[in-house]
Amino acid sequence: DAAHHDACEAFAKANGLSNSAQNERARAIQEDGGPGGCALRSADPHASCKAYCDVSANIKECVAYGKSRGFLKGEELSKAEKVAAALASGAKLPAGCADASSCKEVCENPSSLDTARECFTFAKTAGILPPNFDEARAEKVFQAIADGTAPFRSPKEFARCENPEDDDTLQKCVNFGVKSGFISAQEADVIKKTGGKGPGGCRGKDECETYCKEHGDECFRFQKENGLMAPEQEQRMQEGVRKLRESLSRAPAGVQQCV
């Protein structure tokens, strides 16, 4: 009931149930009808406009509307504009990709090599590949699958390498990594020895780097115990520790107590 809207919204805010951004969007599309009039004569304006803007043919109009009303900002706006521009220039969406929801499902879980390539091609054309995405590495994986030399038959199955369910899968992933130049033979030995886990059970470069920023001593020991530290690197670190200890031994008593 419109007469009770303000009271209901006040109650929602007081009880932590309000989503102010969503409320603002709902109010705006009710006032002006939304892009393409998607909210007009609709019992559920939010759902109607989402369905309208999920259609690729309406993306440009919806992005412009979101920008003009301040609903799309920053990275979200930048990505939306890139996708709209790519479609306007003739870029083709991957097969089975009809709206935002289906595109997310299709490209996050490609069912075939062709679908994975189509998703990769569109993302590259639109300029929305992740910042650290390794294109050369992706091409090697695609080519190996096409040649039949990969340990798995689809890009989706390669996700198993992120958390191998058994030693056989780990072995396949490691061997492929060495053969493709993704990891060195030394790194492969460490992965086999540790089960693919780093210090603290971390997995992957980013996760382990984040972990090691707060657990330096543990990561140092892990590197040393698993032969990941070059002799000269270990020597430099030991020299640094020695100099630090010498400096502290000459520091005033008050400073020594603080550390």
Side-chain angles (χ1 to χ4, degrees):
D1 190 327
H4 300 115
H5 177 272
D6 291 340
C8 291
E9 185 169 340
F11 175 82
K13 288 182 178 179
N15 290 276
L17 302 175
S18 176
N19 184 325
S20 58
Q22 186 169 319
N23 288 342
E24 286 299 318
R25 295 187 185 195
R27 185 176 292 111
I29 62 177
Q30 287 175 339
E31 289 176 354
D32 61 23
C38 57
L40 297 177
R41 296 177 297 280
S42 173
D44 188 344
H46 175 73
S48 296
C49 288
K50 183 181 184 304
Y52 180 82
C53 290
D54 273 348
V55 177
S56 60
N58 301 328
I59 288 179
K60 184 176 181 180
E61 178 185 4
C62 291
V63 170
Y65 177 86
K67 182 178 181 180
S68 68
R69 298 303 297 253
F71 300 151
L72 291 176
K73 300 177 182 178
E75 183 62 27
E76 184 182 14
L77 173 60
S78 175
K79 187 174 181 179
E81 288 183 325
K82 288 177 180 179
V83 169
L87 292 172
S89 68
K92 300 297 183 182
L93 288 170
C97 181
D99 54 37
S101 297
S102 61
C103 287
K104 179 179 176 64
E105 175 61 28
V106 165
C107 290
E108 287 188 354
N109 299 288
S111 59
S112 67
L113 176 60
D114 289 341
T115 299
R117 279 191 178 279
E118 288 174 3
C119 291
F120 169 72
T121 299
F122 180 82
K124 182 178 180 178
T125 300
I128 58 173
L129 286 172
N132 298 319
F133 188 84
D134 191 331
E135 294 183 36
R137 184 168 180 162
E139 284 294 349
K140 284 186 177 181
V141 171
F142 291 155
Q143 191 59 53
I145 294 174
D147 294 343
T149 57
F152 306 110
R153 292 179 293 179
S154 73
K156 181 179 179 180
E157 289 186 88
F158 268 89
R160 295 167 61 188
C161 290
E162 296 177 8
N163 189 16
E165 65 269 22
D166 52 41
D167 290 341
D168 182 56
T169 300
L170 177 64
Q171 186 72 40
K172 289 180 179 179
C173 294
V174 170
N175 290 345
F176 180 75
V178 172
K179 181 180 179 181
S180 301
F182 298 158
I183 58 175
S184 67
Q186 181 185 18
E187 290 172 321
D189 289 339
V190 173
I191 292 173
K192 292 175 183 178
K193 181 179 178 181
T194 62
K197 297 180 181 179
C202 66
R203 290 184 180 277
K205 181 180 178 181
D206 293 341
E207 184 178 324
C208 288
E209 285 184 350
T210 299
Y211 182 84
C212 288
K213 286 179 181 178
E214 299 180 2
H215 304 83
D217 290 343
E218 180 184 348
C219 294
F220 174 76
R221 289 195 300 272
F222 181 88
Q223 286 183 299
K224 186 175 180 180
E225 291 169 0
N226 290 283
L228 295 175
M229 186 177 294
E232 58 271 19
Q233 182 183 6
E234 181 178 353
Q235 185 176 356
R236 285 197 302 270
M237 293 189 72
Q238 290 177 340
E239 181 65 15
V241 171
R242 184 185 65 77
K243 289 182 179 180
L244 177 60
R245 287 174 176 168
E246 288 180 355
S247 298
L248 289 175
S249 68
R250 295 193 296 268
V255 173
Q256 292 185 31
Q257 290 177 359
C258 291
V259 297

